[in-house]
């Protein structure tokens, strides 16, 4: 049987300030990479990992995310009458049959750890996945969370996605330290949120994919505000290390930090190059665009 994660949590209640003014009205997660919003790429990744319950942690400004996954009756009816069957399929495929959405509200942006804790009433005591949609990861073979579900099925405990980061920028990430078990797996003995380069246990930064046990909720509930005054998921994972195995997994695929402008533009170009409808023409036009000629 394929390892599956039934429940996946999408903490999307942040303010998205780095993308103002675009995110003044439109949630960051609805900004499109080519023709699919970031949240759609994330949901497709969760479904590929076996999810049938998608838990969105939202706030009052993110309600359009629920609209995106809702049935658009007028649109669908019009497409049916116009016999636009391909477009109808695209509109309906945002949520595969048998997959449910649940929305919980984080009333105050108290941090990523707090946002994950808000999903507790839905997730209960199960193992679950977490995807931060603005960390966009593309792999042609196996999406990142499905890779991690496999690691989790083998090792249990928690699995966090890691990648080498520029040692100068350790203060932007959670950083893990531990023992290398193989080229892509680290048994984590230490995890620190946003350390200065001199204090970082390694250059392996945690990025936006996690597989966590239900126990993390109890640990989060007793986690005090940490770096930046926020309740940090990293601090609860640090407490988990004493109880259960925590592994850092170097996923295959490429990550684009779509929470900042450069990563977002790079992801857009990369996905346009993956699309046969745009790849050839883009290859021809990009050099002149880049040279400004
Ligand atoms: P970020 O650090 O990227 O913050 O949050 P942000 O608010 O989305 O964006 P900027 O920095 O203001 O531009 C990482 C993830 O944690 C979620 C965010 O939605 C994002 O997916 N988050 C963060 C919450 O859901 N709640 C919070 O209180 C904080």
């Amino acid at each position: 049987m394929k390892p599956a994660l039934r429940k996946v949590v999408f903490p999307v209640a942040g303010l998205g300030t780095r993308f103002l003014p675009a995110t003044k009205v439109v949630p960051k997660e609805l900004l499109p990479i080519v023709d699919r919003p970031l949240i759609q790429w994330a949901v497709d990744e969760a479904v590929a990992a076996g999810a049938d319950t998608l838990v969105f942690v939202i706030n009052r400004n993110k309600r359009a995310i629920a609209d995106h996954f809702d049935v658009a009756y007028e649109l669908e009816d019009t497409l049916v009458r116009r016999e636009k069957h391909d477009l109808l399929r695209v509109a309906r495929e945002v949520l595969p049959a048998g997959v449910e959405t649940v929305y919980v509200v984080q009333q105050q942006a108290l941090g990523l750890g707090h946002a994950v804790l808000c999903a507790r009433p839905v997730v209960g005591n199960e193992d679950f996945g977490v995807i931060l949609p603005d960390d966009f990861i593309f792999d042609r073979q196996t999406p990142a969370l499905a890779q991690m579900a496999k690691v989790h099925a083998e090792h249990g405990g928690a699995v966090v996605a890691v990648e080498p980061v520029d040692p100068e920028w350790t203060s932007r990430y959670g950083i893990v330290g531990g023992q290398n078990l193989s080229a892509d797996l680290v048994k984590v003995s230490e995890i620190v949120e946003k350390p200065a380069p001199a204090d970082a246990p390694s250059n392996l930064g945690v990025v936006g994919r996690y597989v966590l046990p239900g126990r993390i909720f109890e640990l989060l509930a007793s986690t005090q505000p940490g770096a930046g005054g926020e309740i940090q998921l990293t601090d609860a994972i640090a407490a988990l290390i004493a109880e259960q195995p925590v592994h850092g997994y170097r996923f295959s695929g490429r990550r684009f930090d779509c929470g900042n402008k450069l990563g977002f533009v790079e992801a857009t170009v990369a996905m346009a190059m993956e699309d046969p409808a745009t790849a050839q023409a883009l290859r021809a036009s990009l050099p002149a665009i880049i040279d400004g000629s």
Side-chain angles (χ1 to χ4, degrees), residues 14-25:
L15 297 175
T17 52
R18 285 170 293 166
F19 254 97
L20 284 169
T23 49
K24 202 173 156 202
V25 177

Side-chain angles (χ1 to χ4, degrees), residues 9-54:
V9 175
F10 304 89
V12 291
L15 297 175
T17 52
R18 285 170 293 166
F19 254 97
L20 284 169
T23 49
K24 202 173 156 202
V25 177
V26 178
K28 173 167 75 172
E29 296 76 18
L30 288 182
L31 300 179
I33 302 297
V34 188
D35 53 4
R36 283 163 4 132
L38 274 171
I39 193 73
Q40 183 72 57
W41 292 95
V43 159
D44 293 350
E45 184 178 332
V47 171
D52 61 13
T53 306
L54 311 176

